């Protein structure tokens, strides 16, 4: 019978123990990665199409692996139930209105279930809750989208080809511009006119700018009106006075109008003068008498002026006034 | 109804006879396995001499394979811009397939030849017959203990080989780039599944069992004469290596069936 020495037995024991510990360590590590040994909760979601998702794929929340897909099974003819194991620590941050979606881990990577962040005020999920899902874009949809893009690009290329052919054949404005020298010359002249117009516009704008500056900071009436508060107040008073005067004028005109109405009225003096011949004759007589009276009065005044009694007091002065009148 | 064996080529007949002999030998092992005396000390001895003493060879092979795989894969992965997937690819390759098979082949060469030569020389020198005459059960003492020891030690050697190969891969990763140890471990072990590790470990038990059983059978059935020892050792290595690949093929198919 072969017998091992104690040192060899120790060595063999260490060899076996270390191998077993490594095996257990790796198993535990993988189990931790798969959330087998931690404090976890189960949560569910439904998809119409899981796009190749498998049990064991990762669950990601904010880009961090927080669990794994536990089981996938058909719930109905068009719905797939996905059971997920999520660590309880992470579940405190996953809200009830968070949404689960299926994404690819890189271009050629595994599928992952990505859980979006919910609203901050919503309560977090509990064990057995069901999350809402967002359907993944299927490969068919992506291909259809690519096909549409490809068709559009095809159409675009065809249009570009037509345009380039027309240009090549001197069709259209651009084609003539490129090939017709006369047209090109006219176009150049037009451009020159445009250039001059723009220069003029620039000069005008400079002058307008200067005027605006003068109006703002100059010494004229408008800058003073704009900037001088005393003058503005005076102007305001003037305007008030004008307003008052215009009101008075309106009142006066109204009264004149009433007066005119009364003159035109049948009872008025003018109307009586125009329509009543007796009154008119009487008035004519009166006026004639007044005229005669005035003539008599003038003669009387002349007589008085020439009387010696008055000349006695005003003799020198009257002579000087006569001289002045003669000059 | 008897089958006509005259028409069969000699090599086919030898193969079929040898297969039948190994099957009978396996049946005899399972019958004797439950019968006392249980030679525990002998199991420990063989575990040490056959198993632990192979660690250096297995370790060096694993280290080199880990490094070589990483260096060889890197240019191709770089072409796809997937260098970050290198640790995951290497670890899956090593733990699923290369680690167990390579360890089994190393053990088939080293342990198989040792067992074949030992038992063959005992057979040639009639020590086995002497044990029978002296009342000791030679099968329990010589075969059961070796088969049990190798069946236990090959999976352990596989675990060591895997770990050392991953270290080799980490070293090779840092030859041309810079990857932290934590990141490497996270990427290499993080991509592993139990379906990668457990079937590989289970099949390595079968590898150990097959290597020891075939080698013991070749030693037990060695021809008389000095050439019989060499032939037994040689045949033990060849057939046990062949068995390793056959079991690997079966294991892959069964694993796929179970996983899917």
């Amino acid at each position: 019978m072969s017998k091992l020495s104690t040192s060899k037995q120790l060595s063999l024991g260490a060899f076996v123990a270390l191998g077993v510990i490594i095996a257990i360590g790796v198993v535990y590590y993988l189990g931790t990665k798969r959330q087998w040994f931690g404090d976890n909760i189960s949560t569910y979601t439904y998809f119409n199409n899981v796009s190749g998702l498998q049990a064991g794929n990762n669950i990601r929340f904010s880009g961090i692996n927080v669990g794994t897909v536990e089981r996938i099974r058909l719930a109905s003819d068009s719905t797939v139930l996905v059971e997920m194991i999520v660590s309880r620590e992470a579940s405190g941050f996953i809200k009830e209105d968070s949404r689960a979606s299926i994404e690819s881990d890189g271009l050629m990577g595994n599928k992952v279930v990505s859980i979006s962040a919910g609203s901050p005020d919503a309560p977090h999920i509990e064990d057995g809750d069901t999350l809402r899902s967002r359907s993944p874009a299927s490969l068919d949809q992506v291909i259809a989208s690519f096909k549409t893009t490809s068709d559009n690009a095809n159409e675009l290329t065809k249009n570009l080809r037509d345009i380039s052919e027309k240009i090549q054949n001197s069709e259209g404005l651009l084609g003539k511009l490129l090939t017709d020298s006369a047209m090109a010359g006219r176009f150049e002249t037009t451009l020159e006119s445009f250039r001059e117009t723009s220069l003029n516009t620039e000069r005008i704008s400079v002058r307008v700018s200067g005027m605006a500056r003068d109006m703002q900071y100059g010494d004229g009436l408008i800058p003073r009106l704009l900037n001088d508060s005393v003058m503005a107040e005076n102007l305001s008073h003037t305007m008030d006075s004008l307003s008052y005067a215009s009101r008075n004028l309106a009142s006066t005109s109204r009264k004149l109008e009433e007066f005119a109405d009364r003159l035109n009225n049948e009872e008025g003096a003018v109307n009586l003068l125009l329509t009543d011949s007796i009154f008119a004759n009487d008035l004519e007589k009166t006026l004639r008498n007044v005229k005669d009276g005035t003539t008599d009065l003038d003669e009387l005044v002349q007589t008085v002026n020439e009387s010696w009694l008055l000349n006695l007091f005003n003799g020198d002065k009257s002579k000087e006034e006569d001289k002045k009148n003669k000059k | 109804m008897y089958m006509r064996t005259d028409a069969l080529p000699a090599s086919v007949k030898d193969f079929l006879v040898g297969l039948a002999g190994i099957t009978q030998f396996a049946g005899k092992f399972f019958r004797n396995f439950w019968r006392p005396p249980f030679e525990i000390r002998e199991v420990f001895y063989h575990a040490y001499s056959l198993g632990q003493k192979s660690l250096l060879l297995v370790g060096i092979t694993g280290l080199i394979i880990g490094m070589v795989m990483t260096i060889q894969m890197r240019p191709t992965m770089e072409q796809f811009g997937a260098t970050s997937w290198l640790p995951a690819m290497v670890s899956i390759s090593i733990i699923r397939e290369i680690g167990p098979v390579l360890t089994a082949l190393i053990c088939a060469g080293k342990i198989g030849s040792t067992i074949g030569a030992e038992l063959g020389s005992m057979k040639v020198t009639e020590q086995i017959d002497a044990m029978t005459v002296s009342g000791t059960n030679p099968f329990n003492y010589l075969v059961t203990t070796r088969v049990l020891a190798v069946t236990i030690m090959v999976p352990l050697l596989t675990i060591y080989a895997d770990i050392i190969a991953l270290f080799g891969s980490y070293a090779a990763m840092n030859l041309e780039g810079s990857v932290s140890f934590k990141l490497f471990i996270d990427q290499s072990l993080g991509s592993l599944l139990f379906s990668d590790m457990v079937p590989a470990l289970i099949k390595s038990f079968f590898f150990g069992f097959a290597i020891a059983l075939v080698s013991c059978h070749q030693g037990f059935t060695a021809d008389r004469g000095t050439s019989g020892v060499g032939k037994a050792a040689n045949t033990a290595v060849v057939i046990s290596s062949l068995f390793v690949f056959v079991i690997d093929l079966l294991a892959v198919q069964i694993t796929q069936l179970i996983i899917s």
Side-chain angles (χ1 to χ4, degrees):
Chain A
M1 182 181 284
S2 308
K3 188 178 178 184
L4 284 176
S5 64
T6 309
S7 62
K8 286 180 180 175
Q9 283 182 345
L10 282 174
S11 163
L12 178 65
F15 176 83
V16 174
L18 191 60
V20 171
I21 286 169
I22 289 172
I24 290 172
V26 172
V27 167
Y28 188 80
Y29 182 85
L30 295 183
T32 308
K33 284 273 180 188
R34 302 290 162 207
Q35 313 282 334
W36 282 10
F37 303 117
D39 188 9
N40 303 314
I41 65 163
S42 292
T43 183
Y44 303 88
T45 188
Y46 292 90
F47 290 102
N48 293 328
N49 181 356
V50 292
S51 303
L53 184 77
Q54 293 179 323
N57 283 141
N58 287 323
I59 312 292
R60 282 199 183 151
F61 176 67
S62 299
I64 302 169
N65 290 335
V66 295
T68 53
V69 174
E70 178 69 10
R71 198 161 52 132
I72 299 171
R73 64 184 173 84
L74 283 169
S76 70
D77 56 350
S78 61
T79 316
V80 181
L81 172 65
V82 176
E83 183 182 344
M84 301 177 286
I85 300 291
V86 178
S87 73
R88 191 174 290 280
E89 185 187 359
S91 71
F93 302 100
I94 301 173
K95 307 296 182 182
E96 283 183 350
D97 59 353
S98 295
R99 283 182 165 230
S101 58
I102 296 173
E103 295 175 359
S104 285
D105 190 7
L107 192 61
M108 296 179 292
N110 291 325
K111 297 286 180 187
V112 294
V113 176
S114 176
I115 299 176
S116 66
S119 53
D121 301 332
H124 63 79
I125 57 167
E126 298 288 347
D127 191 19
D129 279 354
T130 301
L131 289 174
R132 288 185 300 163
S133 67
R134 192 179 291 124
S135 293
S138 70
L139 192 60
D140 292 341
Q141 287 174 333
V142 175
I143 290 170
S145 169
F146 270 125
K147 189 175 180 306
T148 309
T149 310
S150 165
D151 290 345
N152 290 341
N154 210 3
E155 191 72 21
L156 196 65
T157 316
K158 191 181 165 193
N159 291 340
L160 280 173
R161 193 192 63 196
D162 292 345
I163 290 169
S164 67
E165 274 180 6
K166 284 180 179 174
I167 290 171
Q168 193 75 21
N169 298 332
S170 306
E171 292 176 20
L173 181 64
L174 196 58
K176 283 180 181 172
L177 268 178
L178 290 174
T179 54
D180 189 349
S181 58
M183 180 84 179
R186 284 199 296 277
F187 188 70
E188 197 173 347
T189 311
T190 310
L191 281 179
E192 184 63 27
S193 302
F194 266 124
R195 196 179 69 81
E196 287 177 4
T197 308
S198 67
L199 284 172
N200 289 336
T201 309
E202 187 183 352
R203 279 197 289 274
I204 289 166
S205 70
V206 168
R207 291 179 63 184
V208 168
S209 172
M211 284 170 67
R213 193 169 55 249
D214 289 345
M215 282 173 69
Q216 194 170 4
Y217 302 111
D219 296 330
L221 179 62
I222 293 175
R224 287 181 64 193
L225 273 175
L226 290 173
N227 301 320
D228 192 345
S229 60
V230 176
M231 187 164 181
E233 195 173 350
N234 291 339
L235 187 67
S236 175
H237 287 315
T238 308
M239 294 301 290
D240 288 343
S241 302
L242 276 174
S243 173
Y244 179 73
S246 69
R247 278 202 301 277
N248 286 345
L249 193 63
S251 173
T252 306
S253 70
R254 192 166 55 249
K255 285 175 181 173
L256 278 172
E257 192 177 357
E258 286 173 2
F259 178 69
D261 286 343
R262 287 175 65 188
L263 281 178
N264 291 329
N265 202 344
E266 289 180 357
E267 294 173 356
V270 174
N271 190 46
L272 199 63
L273 194 64
L274 294 172
T275 56
D276 192 345
S277 58
I278 299 167
F279 180 75
N281 290 332
D282 289 347
L283 186 62
E284 191 180 354
K285 282 177 186 172
T286 306
L287 286 173
R288 195 176 296 122
N289 291 337
V290 169
K291 188 179 175 186
D292 294 341
T294 308
T295 309
D296 293 342
L297 190 59
D298 284 344
E299 287 172 359
L300 180 63
V301 169
Q302 187 67 29
T303 308
V304 170
N305 279 339
E306 291 172 358
S307 70
W308 62 271
L309 189 61
L310 285 174
N311 286 337
L312 187 68
F313 295 101
N314 297 327
D316 295 337
K317 287 182 181 176
S318 60
K319 285 177 182 174
E320 287 174 2
E321 283 177 0
D322 288 340
K323 285 178 185 174
K324 284 181 183 175
N325 289 331
K326 283 175 183 174
K327 286 180 183 175
Chain B
M1 184 179 177
Y2 295 98
M3 190 171 69
R4 281 181 61 86
T5 58
D6 300 342
L8 288 171
S11 58
V12 175
K13 277 197 286 188
D14 288 346
F15 172 76
L16 291 175
V17 169
L19 198 62
I22 291 170
T23 309
Q24 282 179 328
F25 202 74
K28 196 174 178 183
F29 166 79
F30 285 114
R31 279 197 303 275
N32 281 275
F33 181 77
W34 310 105
R35 289 179 187 164
F38 302 110
E39 305 287 352
I40 301 297
R41 286 179 181 277
E42 198 67 11
V43 172
F44 286 157
Y45 173 76
H46 291 307
Y48 175 76
S49 62
L50 296 175
Q52 192 180 343
K53 283 196 168 180
S54 305
L55 178 63
L56 184 65
L57 189 61
V58 167
I60 291 171
T61 313
L63 185 76
I64 291 169
I65 284 293
M67 291 182 77
V68 168
M69 275 190 67
T70 307
I71 293 167
Q72 293 272 34
M73 277 186 180
R74 179 183 274 277
T76 312
M77 298 299 279
E78 276 178 349
Q79 281 183 343
F80 289 101
T83 318
S84 61
W85 281 85
L86 203 50
M89 281 197 68
V90 171
S91 69
I92 289 172
S93 307
I94 286 173
I95 294 196
R96 264 194 186 180
E97 189 61 31
I98 296 173
V101 172
L102 196 73
T103 308
L105 288 176
I106 296 288
C107 290
K110 186 175 183 295
I111 298 174
S113 60
T114 305
I115 292 175
E118 269 183 3
L119 295 191
S121 62
M122 288 176 81
K123 173 79 175 177
V124 169
T125 55
E126 298 178 345
Q127 288 181 51
I128 294 172
D129 295 336
M131 287 173 74
T132 309
V133 171
S134 65
T136 307
N137 183 353
F139 197 92
N140 257 9
Y141 189 79
L142 298 175
V143 176
T144 308
T145 53
R146 282 176 171 81
V147 171
L148 197 60
V150 174
T151 305
I152 292 167
M153 293 309 282
V154 167
L156 283 171
L157 285 170
T158 302
I159 291 169
Y160 280 104
D162 289 347
I163 296 297
I164 293 168
L166 288 181
F167 273 109
S169 174
Y170 169 67
M173 285 286 290
N174 280 285
L175 286 178
E176 292 188 36
S178 177
V179 180
S180 71
F181 185 71
K182 182 171 172 50
L183 180 64
F184 179 83
I185 292 295
D186 271 349
Q187 285 184 334
S188 56
L189 296 187
S191 57
L192 285 176
L193 302 172
F194 275 91
S195 55
D196 297 323
M197 190 178 165
V198 174
L201 210 57
I202 290 171
K203 77 182 175 186
S204 63
F205 277 99
F206 285 94
F207 289 159
F209 177 76
I211 290 165
L213 193 77
V214 168
S215 303
C216 288
H217 175 255
Q218 292 305 314
F220 244 64
T221 56
D223 293 335
R224 301 283 175 183
T226 51
S227 64
V229 178
K231 190 183 170 189
N234 185 32
T235 315
V237 173
V238 172
I239 296 180
S240 55
S241 300
L242 188 67
F243 264 66
V244 165
F245 286 112
V246 172
I247 290 169
D248 192 37
L249 181 67
L250 284 172
V252 167
Q253 293 296 328
I254 291 167
T255 306
Q256 290 297 324
L257 281 174
I258 291 171
I259 289 174
S260 60

